[in-house]
Amino acid sequence: MEKQLDPMKDDLPLMANTSHMLVKHYTLDLDVDFKSQIIEGIIVFFFETGSRYRKTSSTDEEGCQSQFDETCKIRASEPCHIPVTDLSACSSTMEYNDFAVCGKGEKDTSDKNGNHSNGEQASGIPSSKNCCDIENHGSTDFLLVLDCCDLSVLKVEEVDVAAVADIEKFARSAKLTDASEELGNLRNQIVHELVTLPADRWKEQLYYYTRCSQAPGCGELLFTTGTWSLEIRKLGICTPRDFPHAIRIWYKTKPEGRSVTWTTDQSGRPCVYTMGSPINNRALFPCQEPPVALSTWQATVRTAARFVVLMSGENSAEPVQLQEGILSWYYYVTMPMPASTFTIAIGCWEEVKQQPFTADVQTNSDFSLPFSQADLRWHEERCGHVEYPCRFQNPAARLQTVIPYRVFAPWCLMENCKELVLQLIPQCLSAAYTTLGTHPFSRLDVLIVPSNFSSLGMASPHIIFLSQSVLPGGQHLCGARLCHEIAHAWFGLAIGARDWTEEWISEGFATYLEDIFWARAQQLSHDEVKGQQELKALLRWRRLRDEVQNSEEELQVLRPNKENTGEVSESGASVVKHGLKAEKIFLQVHYLKGYFLLRSLARAIGEASYLASLRKFVHKFHGQLVLSQDFLYMLLEDIPEQKESGLTVESIFQNWLDTSGMPKLLPDQLVLLLESLLEEKTLCPRTLQCLEKTYKLREQDAEVRHRWCELIVKHKYVPGYGDVEKFLREDQAMGVYLYGELMVNEDAKQQELAYKCFAAAQEHMDVSSAKVVAEMLF
């Protein structure tokens, strides 16, 4: 980073230097202990050289110091430590499963920050006063920086992948010699060949990831932990290209770690789950948190036999008994995803079994939009993402209306889930498929999480957390929420934001699509759809209005970094603006403002064309990270006539994404909003005052002002009577029926206003209009 970050600031630091080293795969091997509320074990990283240093030249060594001087200056005051004594005794030839239990039962000598200071004599590697001490080691040692918080890191070592049997097929062009430099190059070449295997060899790739993870260590690495990061270096290694590309870390979580919640379920039994907190997974395992670090993973988790382990994995894991009372669970993913999407939930969950009959999952054909020939052509195009076994290119997956699904819950909620959740999932999945096409993920688990879960739902790859709050009261809340979380499979997971500050790309789309999916799942008629969605729009508008009035302006901006959105430092590190503000977690502005933007675009373009554009966007950008303009430019290019109406990417930024407050609506949108409000029985004067001030209704066109006058008359809003009088005098082409509304209420003040306005305008009125008004008044 260019400057030292204050960890108490409201911006969340993303410290990993992803431009130098980019993780491609994680292998986790973990033990879960509910008594101590600790998860401990090993994580193995497989890296590629980062984008800034992938192309090498003979000047690399010379340029090394300038490349990393700034990094060294930042960390000059931080102590550098090496592993504790007892762990250094672990045999380097142990198999993979042995690593996880090495050192168990021994006293943890780490301090509260996870640093260790007693390892100098044990390993014989001299520690330095600082990681970039020029006097001792020069300033050119490369630092690998990982995101890490609330973890006790015990040991870090390089993995000797060259020791794996049959691995030589990944290094045919290199010659094995005794020179350590050559060995290092060989190991890194093996990793490079492994992480770049073509997608059709994914099974072989997973197999060798496992084998390499079990390989012996070949030297401990120096490390230090800070509040937000873990820094690792190897003496004498100057460049990312030469740094070990396979490393193994022993670590423990802490009970107070902010990435996991230890609690009890609704039946009183212990459980633990990851939470969608601002710090994501960095208190679960060291990782690279920036979204650009798209990686695959595999994980083995061991715990007591009474617990069920659910995880974001492509496979429905079947447990293996290792010893009496201990089961092992194994999951993997082959689609590269940000580490923040990794999810785990361990508890005494019970699977809710299917009923004997199958729910009807057909959607109303009158409301379904068939895929066009263009949709079919998109399937034939090459994907734009990095290579992986993509479902969008799999003919069988493209026809899969409903993916395999399971439901898990505490035993006391089993019946509720059987009658409700289990029946709704296929309907919602089918509706989503009808709207967007191919499901990005191959299966789905739905878990009813404990009552302390802080939101109604959370979506991760292959798994959805649902709050128990969606269960009572019938289908509506549960179905709508399921649709929202299912929508995240496309927007938020398969397509991610390149900058975390652009939450609206995930939440705005999911909120908008929630209504589309849910209407189709219910098989509503066109009129029923319109009524339901108009009502929801009104409720959301009121919620957004209240939030805007009661929150800080800076938290209302959907692109707080504006034109700098997506930019990172030279190392790839950055911050998430306002990422640590506690109140931000509870604001819905990204959901609601994003929803209204998408709704306005759909109305401007037409729903059929708009949904076709969404499908095109999904096919073009799945498996990738995007910025707002990626969607907006594509949408407006598809609908070029919109540019003539003044709808441009720049105007959308200005009116919707880069400013606080309520969005500036187009006149037709304001008319629709006011007509929706006219259906409300009561609106308080404060609401009407806020409405006029927010949208400057007195300055709008006659169509908008006419609806505003109707609201004034209906709710007897005395401060607005002047607006009605002005309209009746100056807009006689439209104001005739306002006279009737002033008389119908039988309110003395309103009738007096009608007589007054007619008397002033009668002499100059059109004869027919004057006759109609006179009949209303007398």
Side-chain angles (χ1 to χ4, degrees):
M1 297 293 292
E2 285 83 9
K3 60 182 180 180
Q4 181 70 44
L5 287 171
D6 179 356
M8 299 309 293
K9 279 188 176 180
D10 294 325
D11 294 338
L12 173 69
L14 304 179
M15 305 290 282
N17 50 348
T18 54
S19 295
H20 300 160
M21 296 277 286
L22 192 63
V23 67
K24 304 299 289 184
H25 186 78
Y26 299 96
T27 299
L28 295 101
D29 193 66
L30 305 174
D31 288 280
V32 181
D33 187 345
F34 279 90
K35 290 183 180 178
S36 63
Q37 295 190 341
I38 285 175
I39 299 173
E40 72 172 297
I42 300 167
I43 182 169
V44 178
F45 296 76
F46 296 88
F47 292 99
E48 272 273 73
T49 304
S51 57
R52 290 182 183 267
Y53 299 95
R54 203 161 289 155
K55 292 181 180 179
T56 60
S57 69
S58 59
T59 60
D60 278 352
E61 295 293 327
E62 297 171 8
C64 173
Q65 181 163 341
S66 62
Q67 291 165 4
F68 301 112
D69 269 351
E70 199 62 33
T71 306
C72 293
K73 289 175 187 174
I74 292 169
R75 300 175 175 87
S77 61
E78 299 178 8
C80 194
H81 299 285
I82 61 172
V84 294
T85 307
D86 49 22
L87 285 176
S88 67
C90 293
S91 168
S92 62
T93 60
M94 282 183 177
E95 286 302 311
Y96 185 55
N97 286 338
D98 293 328
F99 286 132
V101 297
C102 181
K104 274 202 176 135
E106 296 160 329
K107 183 179 179 181
D108 181 3
T109 58
S110 62
D111 63 23
K112 63 182 179 181
N113 290 320
N115 289 329
H116 302 272
S117 57
N118 62 340
E120 288 186 52
Q121 298 82 4
S123 65
I125 304 174
S127 65
S128 63
K129 245 185 332 186
N130 60 65
C131 289
C132 298
D133 190 331
I134 296 175
E135 181 180 352
N136 291 333
H137 304 296
S139 62
T140 59
D141 284 347
F142 167 69
L143 281 174
L144 170 66
V145 183
L146 300 176
D147 293 299
C148 176
C149 182
D150 301 333
L151 291 178
S152 295
V153 177
L154 309 175
K155 178 182 177 181
V156 182
E157 71 175 3
E158 181 178 359
V159 180
D160 187 8
V161 295
V164 174
D166 303 323
I167 202 68
E168 58 270 10
K169 62 180 174 181
F170 294 116
R172 289 171 183 166
S173 61
K175 294 181 180 179
L176 184 60
T177 72
D178 293 329
S180 60
E181 184 176 346
E182 293 286 344
L183 272 170
N185 290 339
L186 174 64
R187 294 179 188 119
N188 287 353
Q189 182 187 341
I190 290 170
V191 173
H192 170 74
E193 295 294 330
L194 180 56
V195 301
T196 56
L197 279 177
D200 60 0
R201 295 174 65 183
W202 66 269
K203 290 183 179 179
E204 179 186 9
Q205 187 180 47
L206 273 178
Y207 170 76
Y208 277 101
Y209 276 141
T210 303
R211 294 281 305 279
C212 288
S213 299
Q214 297 170 350
C218 54
E220 296 185 27
L221 303 175
L222 296 161
F223 71 90
T224 184
T225 54
T227 304
W228 292 107
S229 66
L230 168 65
E231 297 165 356
I232 303 168
R233 69 188 179 97
K234 181 177 180 180
L235 294 181
I237 296 300
C238 170
T239 66
R241 181 196 61 194
D242 296 325
F243 192 82
H245 281 37
I247 66 170
R248 182 185 291 124
I249 298 175
W250 282 258
Y251 75 97
K252 294 181 180 181
T253 65
K254 298 180 180 180
E256 68 273 16
R258 285 167 278 177
S259 295
V260 292
T261 298
W262 299 88
T263 185
T264 55
D265 66 20
Q266 292 85 342
S267 299
R269 295 179 291 188
C271 61
V272 62
Y273 62 88
T274 49
M275 50 194 286
S277 66
I279 71 166
N280 290 317
N281 281 322
R282 67 189 72 187
L284 177 63
F285 56 89
C287 56
Q288 289 186 336
E289 278 283 296
V292 71
L294 299 174
S295 59
T296 53
W297 59 74
Q298 59 191 118
T300 300
V301 179
R302 289 172 297 279
T303 191
R306 63 184 176 130
F307 295 105
V308 172
V309 177
L310 301 177
M311 192 183 296
S312 45
E314 293 171 21
N315 59 314
S316 300
E318 293 294 333
V320 175
Q321 183 168 328
L322 296 180
Q323 60 191 66
E324 187 175 352
I326 300 293
L327 294 181
S328 176
W329 302 73
Y330 171 75
Y331 288 89
Y332 64 85
V333 299
T334 60
M335 175 182 174
M337 301 284 292
S340 58
T341 64
F342 180 98
T343 303
I344 189 168
I346 306 171
C348 300
W349 324 122
E350 298 190 30
E351 184 177 356
V352 184
K353 297 294 186 181
Q354 287 277 10
Q355 297 278 29
F357 60 88
T358 302
D360 180 12
V361 297
Q362 298 300 314
T363 54
N364 190 325
S365 59
D366 181 53
F367 190 58
S368 300
L369 294 175
F371 286 4
S372 65
Q373 290 300 313
D375 291 325
L376 297 176
R377 284 197 300 272
W378 298 335
H379 285 301
E380 298 169 3
E381 296 175 2
R382 288 197 61 174
C383 297
H385 52 70
V386 297
E387 194 169 4
Y388 67 83
C390 179
R391 287 175 54 80
F392 287 81
Q393 295 298 321
N394 183 328
R398 294 204 302 264
L399 297 174
Q400 198 172 22
T401 307
V402 177
I403 56 175
Y405 60 92
R406 303 182 300 180
V407 178
F408 292 86
W411 69 267
C412 64
L413 297 176
M414 294 283 286
E415 287 304 314
N416 294 42
C417 292
K418 187 178 296 184
E419 296 171 1
L420 185 63
V421 183
L422 205 59
Q423 306 309 313
L424 285 172
I425 291 175
Q427 299 170 29
C428 297
L429 287 172
S430 177
Y433 174 85
T434 302
T435 308
L436 294 179
T438 308
H439 291 281
F441 300 100
S442 58
R443 68 177 195 93
L444 176 65
D445 283 341
V446 176
L447 171 66
I448 305 300
V449 283
S451 56
N452 67 342
F453 188 65
S454 58
S455 68
L456 290 181
M458 186 180 80
S460 299
H462 316 284
I463 186 169
I464 287 173
F465 289 174
L466 277 187
S467 166
Q468 64 177 23
S469 300
V470 306
L471 298 179
Q475 291 190 346
H476 185 76
L477 181 57
C478 185
R481 195 67 207 188
L482 267 172
C483 287
H484 182 99
E485 303 307 336
I486 288 171
H488 277 310
W490 287 267
F491 291 94
L493 295 175
I495 300 174
R498 206 168 82 207
D499 188 317
W500 276 3
T501 61
E502 291 202 303
E503 292 174 58
W504 84 272
I505 293 176
S506 174
E507 298 301 351
F509 275 93
T511 304
Y512 174 79
L513 288 167
E514 166 190 328
D515 294 354
I516 305 293
F517 291 1
W518 182 227
R520 293 183 173 186
Q522 296 172 91
Q523 303 186 39
L524 299 180
S525 69
H526 184 271
D527 289 342
E528 288 172 322
V529 170
K530 184 177 179 182
Q532 186 178 97
Q533 293 184 356
E534 293 297 336
L535 179 59
K536 277 200 167 185
L538 175 59
L539 293 172
R540 286 170 179 153
W541 184 88
R542 297 182 67 165
R543 202 179 311 148
L544 178 60
R545 176 204 63 195
D546 292 342
E547 195 161 282
V548 165
Q549 290 176 343
N550 297 291
S551 63
E552 298 177 40
E553 283 193 12
E554 61 182 11
L555 298 182
Q556 300 168 17
V557 180
L558 301 194
R559 286 204 325 158
N561 292 328
K562 297 184 172 65
E563 66 275 5
N564 297 321
T565 300
E567 293 183 4
V568 297
S569 70
E570 182 273 343
S571 71
S574 62
V575 298
V576 181
K577 200 167 181 63
H578 315 308
L580 289 174
K581 278 206 168 185
E583 59 267 38
K584 184 176 181 293
I585 300 172
F586 300 100
L587 292 181
Q588 297 185 59
V589 66
H590 289 273
Y591 296 72
L592 300 174
K593 211 169 175 182
Y595 156 81
F596 279 110
L597 167 57
L598 298 174
R599 180 179 165 86
S600 71
L601 292 172
R603 288 189 169 271
I605 293 168
E607 186 175 85
S609 297
Y610 183 69
L611 291 179
S613 292
L614 280 190
R615 291 196 295 275
K616 179 180 176 182
F617 183 71
V618 165
H619 282 284
K620 183 176 181 180
F621 287 101
H622 68 273
Q624 300 175 66
L625 303 171
V626 300
L627 298 175
S628 297
Q629 54 263 42
D630 295 319
F631 169 70
L632 297 173
Y633 277 125
M634 192 208 76
L635 182 68
L636 296 183
E637 283 174 5
D638 281 355
I639 319 289
E641 58 268 23
Q642 291 304 320
K643 294 181 180 178
E644 299 174 7
S645 67
L647 188 63
T648 64
V649 173
E650 291 71 25
S651 68
I652 292 170
F653 281 162
Q654 182 178 356
N655 294 332
W656 290 89
L657 302 181
D658 292 352
T659 56
S660 60
M662 298 292 285
K664 180 182 177 182
L665 300 182
L666 297 174
D668 285 348
Q669 295 166 343
L670 272 175
V671 168
L672 179 63
L673 172 63
L674 297 178
E675 286 186 352
S676 298
L677 291 172
L678 279 167
E679 297 175 7
E680 289 293 292
K681 289 184 178 180
T682 57
L683 290 175
C684 69
R686 183 169 175 268
T687 298
L688 292 167
Q689 181 186 27
C690 172
L691 186 67
E692 193 285 319
K693 183 179 178 182
T694 299
Y695 293 108
K696 298 181 173 58
L697 296 179
R698 289 169 182 154
E699 302 171 14
Q700 300 295 334
D701 66 24
E703 289 278 8
V704 175
R705 286 185 286 110
H706 188 277
R707 272 71 173 185
W708 169 234
C709 290
E710 288 182 276
L711 279 171
I712 292 169
V713 174
K714 178 176 181 177
H715 298 289
K716 301 178 182 178
Y717 180 56
V718 176
Y721 284 180
D723 297 340
V724 176
E725 182 178 353
K726 186 173 186 290
F727 192 90
L728 290 175
R729 288 182 177 178
E730 299 180 3
D731 298 279
Q732 294 185 24
M734 299 183 66
V736 169
Y737 292 104
L738 280 177
Y739 283 103
E741 292 176 27
L742 286 168
M743 300 302 293
V744 165
N745 280 336
E746 298 184 355
D747 178 84
K749 284 187 178 180
Q750 290 193 359
Q751 292 181 348
E752 182 184 346
L753 179 61
Y755 294 133
K756 176 183 174 183
C757 291
F758 183 63
Q762 182 178 9
E763 183 180 346
H764 306 286
M765 287 181 73
D766 170 76
V767 176
S768 297
S769 298
K771 183 178 179 181
V772 171
V773 173
E775 290 176 354
M776 293 179 184
L777 269 60
F778 305 107

